[in-house]
Amino acid sequence: MSATPAVGEEGPLALVCGGGTLPLAVAESVSKRGRAVVLFALRGHADPELVARYPHHWLRVGQLGAFTRLAHSAGCRDVVFIGSLIRPTLWNLRPDLTALMLLPRIMAAYRGGDNHLLSGVSQIVERQGFRLLGAHEVAPEILVPEGALGRINASVQHRQDIAFGFDYLRASGPFDIGQAVVVADKHVLAVEAAEGTDQMLARVAELRATGRIGAPPGTGVLVKAPKPGQDRRFDLPSLGPKTVIGVARAKLAGIAVVGATTVIADPERVVSEADRAEIFVVGMPTGTER
């Protein structure tokens, strides 16, 4: 689906917001195109200062009925989910009456990885009369372009590690584990799982500090890619300044993602942080991950 018809639809866009700065970037992009935005901020995740810049409602994870009522009342048909979110357990949900009536469906969605869960949630939300869109469909400029983002590019050796990383992610993707891996000299140093990219990078930094990684500082690449068959309306791989700082602390050489398939927060700062740390950030050609 292209961005043009999604933006051209009448009515405000409902933006369900998790943490980080990406929700604000999407809201700003959609607003600049002349479409109204209503934020549905998740308590404990979304940043109150960012949320306050737009019309908004605060919700807890599981308040499906409240979201449906408020979004329909605001005239929203299209919905985008964006921002970081720690996967809640079933016991941590605060289901309202609507969610309780759909609890068997919700429990079935939980029996699998994140992509399985999000796909199940999307079906539940769409049955409430909404159309779910990807953030990149309404704000295409948040996608990483192809090529080097800063003044440093990946070397031939780095590109061998990048290719190895994509091979690994392609093989592990069907298990719905994670979207990132760290590779040095075709040796897998760390794999992203439930802890997320930032904590994985912190683990690599600790392994270096304790001498568990033999590769010298300045080697190794963080590789990120969507999972094969992933519903790309949700949870596309993301990149932001915090990722670059984590890569620098882990003493890696750089970052490789798939161009036009990875969302980026604060691209100017990403480039400045990468150039300052003398690491590369590169968007590989679309299709590299397949």
Side-chain angles (χ1 to χ4, degrees):
M1 184 183 297
S2 67
T4 303
V7 174
E9 289 289 341
E10 294 183 358
L13 175 72
L15 206 61
V16 180
C17 303
T21 59
L22 278 172
L24 180 64
V26 174
E28 289 178 343
S29 174
V30 173
S31 295
K32 287 178 181 177
R33 285 177 161 78
R35 187 174 189 182
V37 178
V38 180
L39 274 52
F40 294 84
L42 298 177
R43 293 189 183 278
H45 301 279
D47 185 333
E49 291 187 10
L50 301 182
V51 170
R53 302 182 190 184
Y54 290 89
H56 64 275
H57 301 281
W58 285 96
L59 297 173
R60 296 188 182 279
V61 176
Q63 290 188 292
L64 176 62
F67 167 74
T68 300
R69 174 175 51 80
L70 291 167
H72 281 317
S73 177
C76 301
R77 178 197 172 201
D78 294 341
V79 180
V80 167
F81 287 77
I82 187 68
S84 59
L85 180 69
I86 297 174
R87 175 172 171 152
T89 66
L90 275 170
W91 313 114
N92 289 335
L93 292 179
R94 301 286 187 88
D96 55 20
L97 182 59
T98 300
L100 282 172
M101 293 174 64
L102 295 169
L103 196 56
R105 292 182 182 273
I106 295 172
M107 292 177 67
Y110 260 87
R111 298 191 187 103
D114 288 346
N115 190 49
H116 178 76
L117 173 60
L118 290 169
S119 294
V121 169
S122 72
Q123 294 174 18
I124 291 170
V125 172
E126 286 179 327
R127 292 190 180 193
Q128 303 304 307
F130 298 105
R131 180 175 67 160
L132 267 65
L133 302 173
H136 59 290
E137 296 180 89
V138 297
E141 63 271 33
I142 69 170
L143 293 174
V144 174
E146 293 183 8
L149 271 63
R151 61 181 174 81
I152 300 173
N153 207 338
S155 68
V156 173
Q157 182 177 355
H158 295 146
R159 290 180 182 274
Q160 291 175 350
D161 281 343
I162 291 168
F164 189 89
F166 282 129
D167 285 344
Y168 170 82
L169 292 173
R170 192 179 305 116
S172 65
F175 294 95
D176 202 0
I177 299 170
Q179 299 174 317
V181 63
V182 175
V183 177
D185 296 327
K186 294 187 176 182
H187 176 212
V188 173
L189 302 182
V191 174
E192 180 191 43
E195 81 276 33
T197 303
D198 293 336
Q199 290 301 315
M200 178 188 66
L201 291 172
R203 181 156 45 92
V204 174
E206 182 180 355
L207 290 171
R208 278 204 190 277
T210 57
R212 295 293 301 275
I213 292 178
T219 59
V221 181
L222 168 67
V223 182
K224 300 192 73 169
K227 301 164 190 172
Q230 177 177 332
D231 187 337
R232 299 195 177 186
R233 295 174 298 175
F234 307 101
D235 196 28
L236 281 178
S238 63
L239 168 65
K242 193 174 181 180
T243 313
V244 178
I245 292 170
V247 166
R249 288 175 177 168
K251 299 180 180 179
L252 300 174
I255 304 168
V257 298
V258 183
T261 313
T262 304
V263 295
I264 183 169
D266 201 348
E268 292 183 1
R269 190 178 165 208
V270 165
V271 172
S272 65
E273 292 284 356
D275 287 347
R276 183 180 300 113
E278 297 186 336
I279 64 177
F280 66 82
V281 180
V282 62
M284 301 300 290
T286 303
T288 303
E289 78 280 14
R290 296 176 187 149

